[in-house]
């Protein structure tokens, strides 16, 4: 039975992954109806600047992913400020908030993720999370009137917000429950370099301490840490990771434990014509042999382009990515590619500027992290992109 | 259709996505770390990889102007 003609291709989610799917579908010659459903108001925008230039004020608005003209040129039906509330796979239909229903022929799930919350602080005035344009603007407005800010969580987002707040002249403390900054993504040597970066810029970093409570009402005035310390604050930003936005899929029949479970080709397992891309996708990664989920801009775009190709050409080999991430903190561009390996060593950069860390498994380079060394990082990235792993033994650029 | 590739050097942050997308056309400058167009490619024939590089730039620093 042909599915064609039963309904549009629906993309659920209008961030970088969802919008890229639409672009790539049209570029690939797909000429069926496309509907883009986005929970956010207005035109789709790009998120990386939200934890950087939008907070410092350097780039007050995040850049658009699509203009009104672009939407028209792509012939996309755009439903902004619309939440998808339920997926009925049997009827191949979505429920939208407000009661409308939307049938689909094919579905690309790109609903992203929500910031994780800290139960100890939930609902307090003066406590912020950062995910959307509205979040960033609310946080920026409060940064303007604050003197002391605590960042709970020392991952990329927490570190970036700390740098932005410090650039605004605020007194900044990062509180990380784990033993070091970037502990989930980076080896210890990289964490040490990033720690130095923050302390050099006057940001205090407290690792190995959890927030157990607060003082103040209705607005937070201090954080209580698990060693008894009390940290006076005007403002708190919680950046402790994110959880895939799958609440609307609860009774769909899809496996949504930590993201939509997909096969190697990003197709949702157990169903035809449904894919997931971006933060919400947990796919069978053939390189690692595990189901993995990433929250990276570049990987989201790669996944989107891959799924668009799968739709237009039917080709569906395994999706692979080298995993490229960047983070801008103060005047330093941190770039990472590949895996963290089992052993990390710092090597000289090609021109003596910046710092480069190579990550190895059994002597073979499987990843790298650079601080202000873009060409060195690029050399590793190109080698990994070409060959999966690289025989580089310490000579790059 | 031919086009002209322009790089906004004040916007470019040296992410290198363009070099990965179109290695024949882009590189990062050895001195500045900023994207450059390799000699002979500034007015290139239309090319999917270059369009990819434009779209993949996180800083939106690449412009393809078509006359």
């Amino acid at each position: 039975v042909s599915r064609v003609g039963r309904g549009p291709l629906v993309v659920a989610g209008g961030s970088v992954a969802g919008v890229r799917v639409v672009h790539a579908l049209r570029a690939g010659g797909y000429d069926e109806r496309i509907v883009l459903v986005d929970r956010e108001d207005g035109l789709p925008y790009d998120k990386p600047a939200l934890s950087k230039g939008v907070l410092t004020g350097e780039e007050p608005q995040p850049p658009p992913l699509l203009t009104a003209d672009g939407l028209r040129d792509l012939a996309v039906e755009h439903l902004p400020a619309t939440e998808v509330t339920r997926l009925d796979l049997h009827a191949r239909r979505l429920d939208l908030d407000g009661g409308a229903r939307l049938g689909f022929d094919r579905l690309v799930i790109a609903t992203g993720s929500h910031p994780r919350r800290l139960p100890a602080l939930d609902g307090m005035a003066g406590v912020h999370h950062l995910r959307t344009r509205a979040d960033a603007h609310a946080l920026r407005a409060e940064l303007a009137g604050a003197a002391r800010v605590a960042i709970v969580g020392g991952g990329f987002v927490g570190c970036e917000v700390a740098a932005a707040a410090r650039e605004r002249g605020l007194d900044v403390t990062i509180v990380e429950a784990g033993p070091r900054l970037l502990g989930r993504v980076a080896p210890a040597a990289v964490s040490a370099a990033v720690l130095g970066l923050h302390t050099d810029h006057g940001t205090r970093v407290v690792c190995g301490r959890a927030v157990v409570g607060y003082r103040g009402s209705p607005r937070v005035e201090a954080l209580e840490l698990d060693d008894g310390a009390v940290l006076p604050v005007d403002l708190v930003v919680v950046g402790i990771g994110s959880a895939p936005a799958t609440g609307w899929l609860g009774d769909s029949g899809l496996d949504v434990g930590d993201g939509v479970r997909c096969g190697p080709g990003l197709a949702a397992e157990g169903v035809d014509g449904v894919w997931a891309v971006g933060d919400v996708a947990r796919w069978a990664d053939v390189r690692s042999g595990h189901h993995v989920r990433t929250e990276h801009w570049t990987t989201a775009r790669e996944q989107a382009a891959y799924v668009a190709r799968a739709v237009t050409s039917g080709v569906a080999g395994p999706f692979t990515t080298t995993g490229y991430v960047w983070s801008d903190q103060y005047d330093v561009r941190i770039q990472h590619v590949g895996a963290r390996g089992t052993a990390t060593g710092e090597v000289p950069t090609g021109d003596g500027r910046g710092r480069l860390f190579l990550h190895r498994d059994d002597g073979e380079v499987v990843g790298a992290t650079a601080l202000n060394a873009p060409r060195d990082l690029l050399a590793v990235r190109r080698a990994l992109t070409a060959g999966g792993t690289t025989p580089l033994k310490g000579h790059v650029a | 259709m031919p086009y002209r590739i322009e790089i906004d050097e004040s916007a470019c942050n040296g992410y290198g996505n363009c070099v990965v997308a179109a290695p024949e056309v882009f590189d990062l400058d050895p001195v500045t770390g900023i994207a450059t167009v390799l000699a002979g490619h500034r007015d290139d024939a239309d090319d999917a990889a270059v369009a990819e590089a434009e779209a993949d730039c996180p800083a939106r620093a690449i412009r393809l102007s078509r006359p």
Side-chain angles (χ1 to χ4, degrees), chain A residues 20 46 63-65 297-298 301 324 326 328 333 335 351 353 374-375 378 381-382, chain B residues 13-17 19-20 23 27-31 33 52 55-58 60:
Chain A
R20 177 65 177 151
D46 209 8
L65 288 168
W297 190 92
T298 302
R301 293 182 54 86
Y324 169 69
W326 80 89
D328 296 325
R333 173 145 309 109
Q335 295 171 296
D351 61 7
R353 293 181 296 179
R375 275 176 60 87
L378 179 62
R381 187 176 171 195
R382 291 177 73 166
Chain B
N13 280 329
Y15 295 119
N17 285 10
V19 189
V20 174
D27 197 5
L28 295 185
D29 184 275
V31 177
E52 192 99 328
D56 273 344
C57 176
R60 291 166 186 72

Side-chain angles (χ1 to χ4, degrees), chain A residues 30-70:
Chain A
Y30 187 79
D31 59 3
E32 310 275 336
R33 263 182 83 199
I34 299 176
V35 181
L36 178 64
V37 187
D38 191 1
R39 75 170 75 94
E40 294 216 42
D41 204 1
L43 288 167
Y45 60 89
D46 209 8
K47 290 198 162 74
L50 296 182
S51 52
K52 309 176 184 89
V54 175
L55 295 183
T56 59
E58 212 174 302
E59 192 178 1
Q61 294 294 335
L65 288 168
L66 265 176
T67 61
D69 285 350

